[in-house]
Amino acid sequence: MATWTLRPIRLPDEHLPHGLDSGQPTCRPCGTVWPCDTAGEHLTESRCTCGRTVWRDKTTVRNWHVGPRCYTPADTVRWQASELKAARAPHYPPSHFYPPKPARPVRQRPPYEHPPAGPGDVALGTWVWVRPGALHPGWGDIHHLAMLTALGLPRCEVWLILDGTVHTARADSLILSRTAVRRGRPAPDWTRWTVAQHLVHARPAAVAAPEPVQAELFGALEPAGA
């Protein structure tokens, strides 16, 4: 009884072809026409642009071109350079990950800019970060840099620097951008407040209403027999 062995997930190197350029490759250990039975189950057949057969490994990027090469060494260098450039380029999630964006007003960049100088000092032109989930899902699930264009509670209006669209977002989902704070100094605690916290902090303190004088005092001052 044959000993059980783990089936290889890729073409074994000992069953690589010999004589590809001749157009009639053979298997190195088997001596039969390549691909042999062992190699065939790991390969898929396709066609090159020159019409020749190309065998591709099902689990790796390896491929074997049967017949004379239809490309030059310069083509190989150019392909390798393009693959390296693509690998180094930043990759963003495809747009179909997010639902379609609904219509939003588009405006030019507001002409004002207000860097906050202390707690409660937020105004039109203050740069903020919009937390994920505060906008429509069409704008993704990342932080967006925006400028305050209208203040209010519980919602504010913001202008996105990404595409110039205008949105309304909850004030407790907006946090100050570090670019809005003076550089070169340690960031104080209020720089991590939400816009809602700044607006509440800036509200004037409510004046306590005077308590009414007890009715017994007025009764004691009334003349007798009144």
Side-chain angles (χ1 to χ4, degrees), residues 7-180:
R7 179 181 179 274
I9 61 175
R10 48 168 276 179
L11 172 63
D13 291 340
E14 58 269 19
H15 287 273
L16 292 178
H18 174 72
L20 283 171
D21 293 343
S22 64
Q24 296 180 348
T26 58
C27 180
R28 295 179 179 179
C30 301
T32 58
V33 177
W34 191 86
C36 61
D37 294 340
T38 302
E41 59 180 325
H42 299 281
L43 302 173
T44 56
E45 183 179 1
S46 62
R47 291 290 173 181
C48 178
T49 54
C50 66
R52 297 282 183 171
T53 303
V54 176
W55 293 97
R56 300 183 182 277
D57 198 321
K58 295 180 180 179
T59 56
T60 68
V61 296
R62 296 191 303 176
N63 61 83
W64 294 267
H65 185 280
V66 179
R69 291 190 302 173
C70 59
Y71 52 87
T72 64
D75 295 330
T76 305
V77 173
R78 184 166 57 254
W79 294 334
Q80 291 176 345
S82 62
E83 291 176 356
L84 183 61
K85 181 179 179 181
R88 291 179 175 176
H91 296 278
Y92 300 102
S95 58
H96 64 262
F97 278 12
Y98 306 123
K101 295 180 180 179
R104 291 290 186 270
V106 179
R107 301 176 190 169
Q108 294 182 346
R109 176 171 174 165
Y112 38 76
E113 187 166 343
H114 176 79
D121 184 23
V122 291
L124 304 186
T126 301
W127 287 104
V128 295
W129 286 103
V130 185
R131 288 177 175 172
L135 303 178
H136 186 275
W139 275 265
D141 55 354
I142 61 175
H143 285 81
H144 284 279
L145 182 62
M147 179 184 287
L148 288 174
T149 53
L151 295 173
L153 286 173
R155 306 184 73 84
C156 296
E157 184 185 81
V158 294
W159 174 85
L160 287 190
I161 195 174
L162 173 69
D163 52 9
T165 53
V166 179
H167 305 254
T168 57
R170 292 188 58 86
D172 55 6
S173 295
L174 307 175
I175 55 177
L176 294 184
S177 169
R178 292 305 176 93
T179 58

